[in-house]
Amino acid sequence: MALSSPRAAAKPARTAASVLAEAADARATVVLSGHVQPDADALGSTLALAEGLRRRGARVLTTFPDPFTLPASLGWLPGAEGLVSSSAVPSSPDVFVSLDAASPGRLGELAPLLDNAGVSIVVDHHVSNPGFGDVRLIDGGAPATVTLVAGLLDELGVGLDRDLATCLYAGLSADTGSFRFGNTRPETHELAARLLSTGIDHSEISRQLFDTAPFGWLGLLSAITGRAVLETDVGLRLVWTWSSTAEAAEYGLPGEQLEALVDVVRSTQEADVACVLKGQDDGSWSVSLRSRGRTDLARVAMALGGGGHTLAAGYSSYVDREKTIENLRAELSAEFPAA
């Protein structure tokens, strides 16, 4: 069902909430997707907003870009069983919603839907987001995309219950590091209180997200931390290590298990920046960066083709491991040339 498009110059500016409300009232088809290799914020945002729109009457499909493999740590989220592969969604839906993707490239093969959909909406909290899509709800100061989704659900008149709150709390807890990171604000705890009031099992959510891993994780962790390097002459000091999906497989682990490594390496007291290089099956490197607060990682990652936040960012590299870390050293040294 066709919706009025914000692309028409004569039309006044429209908000994400108004477009979604119109779509729900028209029983339009809405496709929602998080970024490639979705984390708790991307998936929690997608599933919560999708369920809210269903309750308002929209026809909803949820997906994410290939590889279409859901991490075991997230497969328990309410609504995850309804996810479909990107090949199963229409190429020109009435509405396409991108959630937690800092750039079109993070949407993989779904990026064309930004132009092919009747209306495209971008909901994101990455400070590096350049602004794309027809209608944008982008707040670089928000601690997680789920906080923006919670606001959308309020505007749509969808009340929070345990299922919705579970999805939102998972994303909120993950992107604030269980409320330890500097992006935690008073209103972050206010939202957490709202979510807890629905009766969610917050301790079980945290256990699933942070405290559950196969035994093989211990062996992999030992190998990776054992080869970590501290470089005191790079920027404000850099600690880094590397692994690969192939190495993870040697320990009986899926590749997504590598995502948690940077949060172990970041605990290094002597370095402001922590880095983990994660070798992918196609030969590229996925680079995760974390800062203790003095290095602007969003600038560093954007210079290297990626993006993110000041304290947490990432990018992909298509050169070998040594050249990848060499390029990172150069950017960090440019950030603090006298360090």
Side-chain angles (χ1 to χ4, degrees):
M1 182 175 295
L3 300 174
S4 57
S5 173
R7 295 173 186 146
K11 295 288 185 181
R14 297 165 66 200
T15 66
S18 67
V19 173
L20 291 173
E22 180 185 346
D25 291 342
R27 293 187 58 77
T29 297
V30 183
V31 173
L32 301 95
S33 176
H35 56 69
V36 64
Q37 296 177 328
D39 56 12
D41 191 25
L43 193 61
S45 296
T46 299
L47 297 177
L49 184 56
E51 179 57 24
L53 290 171
R54 284 192 191 95
R55 295 179 187 182
R56 280 291 310 269
R59 305 173 189 272
V60 176
L61 290 169
T62 53
T63 187
F64 59 88
D66 288 334
F68 189 68
T69 303
L70 192 64
S73 62
L74 300 177
W76 55 274
L77 285 173
E81 69 283 354
L83 288 160
V84 299
S85 70
S86 59
S87 62
V89 303
S91 59
S92 301
D94 297 315
V95 180
F96 174 61
V97 186
S98 164
L99 295 125
D100 202 44
S103 67
R106 294 284 283 161
L107 292 169
E109 71 277 9
L110 290 164
L113 271 65
L114 291 166
D115 295 321
N116 296 341
V119 183
S120 61
I121 300 173
V122 172
V123 183
D124 185 37
H125 75 126
H126 291 90
V127 69
S128 64
N129 193 306
F132 58 96
D134 298 322
V135 178
R136 303 162 187 167
L137 176 55
I138 301 172
D139 181 357
T145 297
V146 290
T147 64
L148 306 179
V149 169
L152 284 174
L153 292 173
D154 288 342
E155 291 187 74
L156 291 168
V158 177
L160 298 181
D161 59 14
R162 289 188 60 168
D163 282 352
L164 291 175
T166 293
C167 292
L168 295 174
Y169 189 88
L172 188 65
S173 181
D175 266 31
T176 60
S178 295
F179 310 99
R180 294 180 291 114
F181 297 165
N183 58 0
T184 302
R185 306 182 297 191
E187 53 267 38
T188 310
H189 287 294
E190 291 168 3
L191 175 58
R194 282 186 63 196
L195 301 177
L196 289 170
S197 71
T198 66
I200 61 173
D201 189 343
H202 64 92
S203 61
E204 176 63 13
I205 293 172
S206 295
R207 187 185 69 80
Q208 291 275 11
L209 291 177
F210 309 117
D211 299 327
T212 300
F215 179 72
W217 167 249
L218 298 179
L220 179 65
L221 189 61
S222 176
I224 293 166
T225 55
R227 58 174 171 255
V229 178
L230 177 64
E231 301 194 15
T232 59
D233 58 345
V234 175
L236 297 180
R237 298 186 177 182
L238 166 69
V239 59
W240 69 279
T241 188
W242 63 274
S243 185
S244 66
T245 54
E247 184 176 37
E250 293 174 6
Y251 290 89
L253 301 172
E256 62 262 18
Q257 201 76 50
L258 301 176
E259 298 303 313
L261 291 171
V262 71
D263 290 318
V264 176
V265 179
R266 74 184 301 166
S267 64
T268 303
Q269 181 179 1
E270 294 88 346
D272 187 58
V273 174
C275 168
V276 174
L277 309 182
K278 298 164 291 183
Q280 305 301 302
D281 293 339
D282 63 0
S284 67
W285 293 91
S286 177
V287 183
S288 292
L289 301 172
R290 298 292 185 270
S291 170
R292 284 182 168 268
R294 299 175 62 192
T295 304
D296 182 357
L297 294 180
R299 189 207 67 79
V300 171
M302 289 175 71
L304 293 167
H309 308 286
T310 301
L311 303 184
Y315 60 96
S316 294
S317 174
Y318 300 93
V319 294
D320 63 28
R321 187 175 75 236
E322 287 306 315
K323 185 62 175 176
T324 295
I325 197 65
E326 178 184 327
N327 291 341
L328 176 61
R329 289 189 189 108
E331 285 302 326
L332 291 173
S333 295
E335 184 85 353
F336 293 97

PDB file of all heavy atoms in Angstrom, residues 82-110:
ATOM      1  N   GLY A  82      11.074 -15.376  14.545  1.00  0.00           N
ATOM      2  CA  GLY A  82      10.389 -14.897  13.359  1.00  0.00           C
ATOM      3  C   GLY A  82      11.284 -14.209  12.349  1.00  0.00           C
ATOM      4  O   GLY A  82      10.805 -13.771  11.291  1.00  0.00           O
ATOM      5  N   LEU A  83      12.569 -14.115  12.624  1.00  0.00           N
ATOM      6  CA  LEU A  83      13.496 -13.500  11.674  1.00  0.00           C
ATOM      7  C   LEU A  83      13.552 -14.291  10.370  1.00  0.00           C
ATOM      8  O   LEU A  83      13.526 -15.522  10.380  1.00  0.00           O
ATOM      9  CB  LEU A  83      14.893 -13.420  12.278  1.00  0.00           C
ATOM     10  CG  LEU A  83      15.096 -12.387  13.384  1.00  0.00           C
ATOM     11  CD1 LEU A  83      16.335 -12.740  14.210  1.00  0.00           C
ATOM     12  CD2 LEU A  83      15.235 -10.978  12.793  1.00  0.00           C
ATOM     13  N   VAL A  84      13.641 -13.580   9.243  1.00  0.00           N
ATOM     14  CA  VAL A  84      13.742 -14.234   7.943  1.00  0.00           C
ATOM     15  C   VAL A  84      15.004 -13.730   7.243  1.00  0.00           C
ATOM     16  O   VAL A  84      15.495 -12.636   7.530  1.00  0.00           O
ATOM     17  CB  VAL A  84      12.501 -13.960   7.070  1.00  0.00           C
ATOM     18  CG1 VAL A  84      11.257 -14.499   7.743  1.00  0.00           C
ATOM     19  CG2 VAL A  84      12.350 -12.472   6.769  1.00  0.00           C
ATOM     20  N   SER A  85      15.539 -14.513   6.334  1.00  0.00           N
ATOM     21  CA  SER A  85      16.737 -14.108   5.616  1.00  0.00           C
ATOM     22  C   SER A  85      16.431 -12.931   4.700  1.00  0.00           C
ATOM     23  O   SER A  85      15.277 -12.692   4.313  1.00  0.00           O
ATOM     24  CB  SER A  85      17.292 -15.276   4.805  1.00  0.00           C
ATOM     25  OG  SER A  85      16.429 -15.573   3.724  1.00  0.00           O
ATOM     26  N   SER A  86      17.468 -12.207   4.328  1.00  0.00           N
ATOM     27  CA  SER A  86      17.277 -11.018   3.496  1.00  0.00           C
ATOM     28  C   SER A  86      16.656 -11.358   2.142  1.00  0.00           C
ATOM     29  O   SER A  86      15.975 -10.526   1.539  1.00  0.00           O
ATOM     30  CB  SER A  86      18.620 -10.316   3.289  1.00  0.00           C
ATOM     31  OG  SER A  86      19.556 -11.181   2.663  1.00  0.00           O
ATOM     32  N   SER A  87      16.877 -12.571   1.668  1.00  0.00           N
ATOM     33  CA  SER A  87      16.319 -12.968   0.375  1.00  0.00           C
ATOM     34  C   SER A  87      14.806 -13.143   0.420  1.00  0.00           C
ATOM     35  O   SER A  87      14.156 -13.217  -0.620  1.00  0.00           O
ATOM     36  CB  SER A  87      16.963 -14.272  -0.101  1.00  0.00           C
ATOM     37  OG  SER A  87      16.687 -15.331   0.808  1.00  0.00           O
ATOM     38  N   ALA A  88      14.250 -13.204   1.622  1.00  0.00           N
ATOM     39  CA  ALA A  88      12.814 -13.447   1.774  1.00  0.00           C
ATOM     40  C   ALA A  88      12.002 -12.167   1.932  1.00  0.00           C
ATOM     41  O   ALA A  88      10.777 -12.231   2.052  1.00  0.00           O
ATOM     42  CB  ALA A  88      12.567 -14.357   2.985  1.00  0.00           C
ATOM     43  N   VAL A  89      12.663 -11.010   1.927  1.00  0.00           N
ATOM     44  CA  VAL A  89      11.920  -9.763   2.095  1.00  0.00           C
ATOM     45  C   VAL A  89      11.709  -9.114   0.731  1.00  0.00           C
ATOM     46  O   VAL A  89      12.507  -9.300  -0.189  1.00  0.00           O
ATOM     47  CB  VAL A  89      12.653  -8.785   3.045  1.00  0.00           C
ATOM     48  CG1 VAL A  89      12.894  -9.445   4.391  1.00  0.00           C
ATOM     49  CG2 VAL A  89      13.958  -8.290   2.446  1.00  0.00           C
ATOM     50  N   PRO A  90      10.629  -8.354   0.567  1.00  0.00           N
ATOM     51  CA  PRO A  90      10.369  -7.707  -0.729  1.00  0.00           C
ATOM     52  C   PRO A  90      11.440  -6.674  -1.049  1.00  0.00           C
ATOM     53  O   PRO A  90      11.990  -6.020  -0.162  1.00  0.00           O
ATOM     54  CB  PRO A  90       8.996  -7.058  -0.530  1.00  0.00           C
ATOM     55  CG  PRO A  90       8.833  -6.925   0.945  1.00  0.00           C
ATOM     56  CD  PRO A  90       9.564  -8.080   1.549  1.00  0.00           C
ATOM     57  N   SER A  91      11.731  -6.520  -2.332  1.00  0.00           N
ATOM     58  CA  SER A  91      12.772  -5.585  -2.754  1.00  0.00           C
ATOM     59  C   SER A  91      12.309  -4.136  -2.715  1.00  0.00           C
ATOM     60  O   SER A  91      13.138  -3.221  -2.725  1.00  0.00           O
ATOM     61  CB  SER A  91      13.238  -5.929  -4.171  1.00  0.00           C
ATOM     62  OG  SER A  91      12.152  -5.873  -5.083  1.00  0.00           O
ATOM     63  N   SER A  92      10.975  -3.933  -2.654  1.00  0.00           N
ATOM     64  CA  SER A  92      10.429  -2.569  -2.607  1.00  0.00           C
ATOM     65  C   SER A  92       9.284  -2.508  -1.598  1.00  0.00           C
ATOM     66  O   SER A  92       8.113  -2.324  -1.975  1.00  0.00           O
ATOM     67  CB  SER A  92       9.936  -2.134  -3.996  1.00  0.00           C
ATOM     68  OG  SER A  92      10.984  -2.181  -4.942  1.00  0.00           O
ATOM     69  N   PRO A  93       9.584  -2.650  -0.311  1.00  0.00           N
ATOM     70  CA  PRO A  93       8.519  -2.605   0.690  1.00  0.00           C
ATOM     71  C   PRO A  93       7.965  -1.189   0.823  1.00  0.00           C
ATOM     72  O   PRO A  93       8.565  -0.216   0.345  1.00  0.00           O
ATOM     73  CB  PRO A  93       9.246  -3.028   1.975  1.00  0.00           C
ATOM     74  CG  PRO A  93      10.651  -2.572   1.769  1.00  0.00           C
ATOM     75  CD  PRO A  93      10.922  -2.779   0.296  1.00  0.00           C
ATOM     76  N   ASP A  94       6.827  -1.080   1.468  1.00  0.00           N
ATOM     77  CA  ASP A  94       6.257   0.251   1.702  1.00  0.00           C
ATOM     78  C   ASP A  94       7.196   1.084   2.567  1.00  0.00           C
ATOM     79  O   ASP A  94       7.421   2.262   2.298  1.00  0.00           O
ATOM     80  CB  ASP A  94       4.888   0.127   2.388  1.00  0.00           C
ATOM     81  CG  ASP A  94       3.871  -0.591   1.532  1.00  0.00           C
ATOM     82  OD1 ASP A  94       3.787  -0.287   0.328  1.00  0.00           O
ATOM     83  OD2 ASP A  94       3.165  -1.472   2.060  1.00  0.00           O
ATOM     84  N   VAL A  95       7.733   0.446   3.610  1.00  0.00           N
ATOM     85  CA  VAL A  95       8.633   1.141   4.532  1.00  0.00           C
ATOM     86  C   VAL A  95       9.806   0.224   4.853  1.00  0.00           C
ATOM     87  O   VAL A  95       9.621  -0.975   5.075  1.00  0.00           O
ATOM     88  CB  VAL A  95       7.927   1.538   5.846  1.00  0.00           C
ATOM     89  CG1 VAL A  95       8.895   2.259   6.784  1.00  0.00           C
ATOM     90  CG2 VAL A  95       6.715   2.415   5.563  1.00  0.00           C
ATOM     91  N   PHE A  96      10.998   0.787   4.864  1.00  0.00           N
ATOM     92  CA  PHE A  96      12.173   0.066   5.329  1.00  0.00           C
ATOM     93  C   PHE A  96      12.763   0.832   6.507  1.00  0.00           C
ATOM     94  O   PHE A  96      12.966   2.047   6.418  1.00  0.00           O
ATOM     95  CB  PHE A  96      13.217  -0.067   4.228  1.00  0.00           C
ATOM     96  CG  PHE A  96      14.518  -0.670   4.692  1.00  0.00           C
ATOM     97  CD1 PHE A  96      14.543  -1.956   5.209  1.00  0.00           C
ATOM     98  CD2 PHE A  96      15.707   0.050   4.636  1.00  0.00           C
ATOM     99  CE1 PHE A  96      15.734  -2.527   5.656  1.00  0.00           C
ATOM    100  CE2 PHE A  96      16.899  -0.504   5.067  1.00  0.00           C
ATOM    101  CZ  PHE A  96      16.911  -1.799   5.578  1.00  0.00           C
ATOM    102  N   VAL A  97      13.039   0.120   7.595  1.00  0.00           N
ATOM    103  CA  VAL A  97      13.610   0.741   8.783  1.00  0.00           C
ATOM    104  C   VAL A  97      14.979   0.127   9.057  1.00  0.00           C
ATOM    105  O   VAL A  97      15.101  -1.085   9.253  1.00  0.00           O
ATOM    106  CB  VAL A  97      12.707   0.557  10.019  1.00  0.00           C
ATOM    107  CG1 VAL A  97      13.275   1.344  11.209  1.00  0.00           C
ATOM    108  CG2 VAL A  97      11.279   0.995   9.728  1.00  0.00           C
ATOM    109  N   SER A  98      15.996   0.970   9.053  1.00  0.00           N
ATOM    110  CA  SER A  98      17.352   0.570   9.413  1.00  0.00           C
ATOM    111  C   SER A  98      17.588   0.937  10.867  1.00  0.00           C
ATOM    112  O   SER A  98      17.350   2.080  11.278  1.00  0.00           O
ATOM    113  CB  SER A  98      18.361   1.299   8.519  1.00  0.00           C
ATOM    114  OG  SER A  98      19.671   1.226   9.060  1.00  0.00           O
ATOM    115  N   LEU A  99      18.062  -0.025  11.654  1.00  0.00           N
ATOM    116  CA  LEU A  99      18.256   0.196  13.080  1.00  0.00           C
ATOM    117  C   LEU A  99      19.698  -0.094  13.492  1.00  0.00           C
ATOM    118  O   LEU A  99      20.225  -1.169  13.196  1.00  0.00           O
ATOM    119  CB  LEU A  99      17.297  -0.675  13.894  1.00  0.00           C
ATOM    120  CG  LEU A  99      15.819  -0.319  13.688  1.00  0.00           C
ATOM    121  CD1 LEU A  99      15.034  -1.543  13.260  1.00  0.00           C
ATOM    122  CD2 LEU A  99      15.227   0.276  14.949  1.00  0.00           C
ATOM    123  N   ASP A 100      20.333   0.871  14.130  1.00  0.00           N
ATOM    124  CA  ASP A 100      21.670   0.720  14.716  1.00  0.00           C
ATOM    125  C   ASP A 100      22.759   0.555  13.668  1.00  0.00           C
ATOM    126  O   ASP A 100      23.846   0.078  13.986  1.00  0.00           O
ATOM    127  CB  ASP A 100      21.689  -0.457  15.708  1.00  0.00           C
ATOM    128  CG  ASP A 100      22.823  -0.363  16.716  1.00  0.00           C
ATOM    129  OD1 ASP A 100      23.053   0.732  17.239  1.00  0.00           O
ATOM    130  OD2 ASP A 100      23.481  -1.385  16.978  1.00  0.00           O
ATOM    131  N   ALA A 101      22.504   0.941  12.439  1.00  0.00           N
ATOM    132  CA  ALA A 101      23.512   0.876  11.380  1.00  0.00           C
ATOM    133  C   ALA A 101      24.104   2.262  11.180  1.00  0.00           C
ATOM    134  O   ALA A 101      23.382   3.208  10.859  1.00  0.00           O
ATOM    135  CB  ALA A 101      22.904   0.365  10.076  1.00  0.00           C
ATOM    136  N   ALA A 102      25.423   2.388  11.359  1.00  0.00           N
ATOM    137  CA  ALA A 102      26.082   3.694  11.303  1.00  0.00           C
ATOM    138  C   ALA A 102      26.285   4.203   9.889  1.00  0.00           C
ATOM    139  O   ALA A 102      26.562   5.380   9.682  1.00  0.00           O
ATOM    140  CB  ALA A 102      27.424   3.639  12.023  1.00  0.00           C
ATOM    141  N   SER A 103      26.145   3.324   8.896  1.00  0.00           N
ATOM    142  CA  SER A 103      26.327   3.711   7.500  1.00  0.00           C
ATOM    143  C   SER A 103      25.569   2.726   6.622  1.00  0.00           C
ATOM    144  O   SER A 103      25.255   1.603   7.059  1.00  0.00           O
ATOM    145  CB  SER A 103      27.812   3.707   7.123  1.00  0.00           C
ATOM    146  OG  SER A 103      28.324   2.386   7.153  1.00  0.00           O
ATOM    147  N   PRO A 104      25.261   3.098   5.379  1.00  0.00           N
ATOM    148  CA  PRO A 104      24.573   2.160   4.490  1.00  0.00           C
ATOM    149  C   PRO A 104      25.342   0.854   4.297  1.00  0.00           C
ATOM    150  O   PRO A 104      24.741  -0.216   4.159  1.00  0.00           O
ATOM    151  CB  PRO A 104      24.460   2.939   3.186  1.00  0.00           C
ATOM    152  CG  PRO A 104      24.458   4.374   3.596  1.00  0.00           C
ATOM    153  CD  PRO A 104      25.405   4.441   4.758  1.00  0.00           C
ATOM    154  N   GLY A 105      26.655   0.936   4.313  1.00  0.00           N
ATOM    155  CA  GLY A 105      27.456  -0.268   4.126  1.00  0.00           C
ATOM    156  C   GLY A 105      27.227  -1.320   5.181  1.00  0.00           C
ATOM    157  O   GLY A 105      27.423  -2.519   4.928  1.00  0.00           O
ATOM    158  N   ARG A 106      26.809  -0.900   6.376  1.00  0.00           N
ATOM    159  CA  ARG A 106      26.552  -1.844   7.463  1.00  0.00           C
ATOM    160  C   ARG A 106      25.266  -2.642   7.225  1.00  0.00           C
ATOM    161  O   ARG A 106      24.973  -3.580   7.956  1.00  0.00           O
ATOM    162  CB  ARG A 106      26.459  -1.101   8.791  1.00  0.00           C
ATOM    163  CG  ARG A 106      27.759  -0.463   9.234  1.00  0.00           C
ATOM    164  CD  ARG A 106      28.715  -1.497   9.767  1.00  0.00           C
ATOM    165  NE  ARG A 106      28.349  -1.925  11.112  1.00  0.00           N
ATOM    166  CZ  ARG A 106      28.763  -3.046  11.687  1.00  0.00           C
ATOM    167  NH1 ARG A 106      29.520  -3.890  11.000  1.00  0.00           N
ATOM    168  NH2 ARG A 106      28.400  -3.355  12.916  1.00  0.00           N
ATOM    169  N   LEU A 107      24.521  -2.279   6.188  1.00  0.00           N
ATOM    170  CA  LEU A 107      23.295  -3.004   5.852  1.00  0.00           C
ATOM    171  C   LEU A 107      23.535  -4.067   4.777  1.00  0.00           C
ATOM    172  O   LEU A 107      22.605  -4.772   4.395  1.00  0.00           O
ATOM    173  CB  LEU A 107      22.221  -2.027   5.377  1.00  0.00           C
ATOM    174  CG  LEU A 107      21.688  -1.078   6.452  1.00  0.00           C
ATOM    175  CD1 LEU A 107      20.845   0.020   5.817  1.00  0.00           C
ATOM    176  CD2 LEU A 107      20.874  -1.835   7.501  1.00  0.00           C
ATOM    177  N   GLY A 108      24.769  -4.171   4.289  1.00  0.00           N
ATOM    178  CA  GLY A 108      25.083  -5.204   3.314  1.00  0.00           C
ATOM    179  C   GLY A 108      24.162  -5.172   2.119  1.00  0.00           C
ATOM    180  O   GLY A 108      23.884  -4.107   1.547  1.00  0.00           O
ATOM    181  N   GLU A 109      23.655  -6.351   1.760  1.00  0.00           N
ATOM    182  CA  GLU A 109      22.814  -6.480   0.569  1.00  0.00           C
ATOM    183  C   GLU A 109      21.446  -5.827   0.737  1.00  0.00           C
ATOM    184  O   GLU A 109      20.685  -5.690  -0.234  1.00  0.00           O
ATOM    185  CB  GLU A 109      22.648  -7.956   0.195  1.00  0.00           C
ATOM    186  CG  GLU A 109      21.773  -8.762   1.144  1.00  0.00           C
ATOM    187  CD  GLU A 109      22.508  -9.273   2.376  1.00  0.00           C
ATOM    188  OE1 GLU A 109      23.673  -8.867   2.587  1.00  0.00           O
ATOM    189  OE2 GLU A 109      21.928 -10.068   3.136  1.00  0.00           O
ATOM    190  N   LEU A 110      21.117  -5.388   1.964  1.00  0.00           N
ATOM    191  CA  LEU A 110      19.837  -4.717   2.202  1.00  0.00           C
ATOM    192  C   LEU A 110      19.905  -3.219   1.936  1.00  0.00           C
ATOM    193  O   LEU A 110      18.867  -2.547   1.917  1.00  0.00           O
ATOM    194  CB  LEU A 110      19.372  -4.961   3.644  1.00  0.00           C
ATOM    195  CG  LEU A 110      18.941  -6.388   3.954  1.00  0.00           C
ATOM    196  CD1 LEU A 110      18.877  -6.616   5.456  1.00  0.00           C
ATOM    197  CD2 LEU A 110      17.594  -6.701   3.308  1.00  0.00           C
TER     198      LEU A 110
END
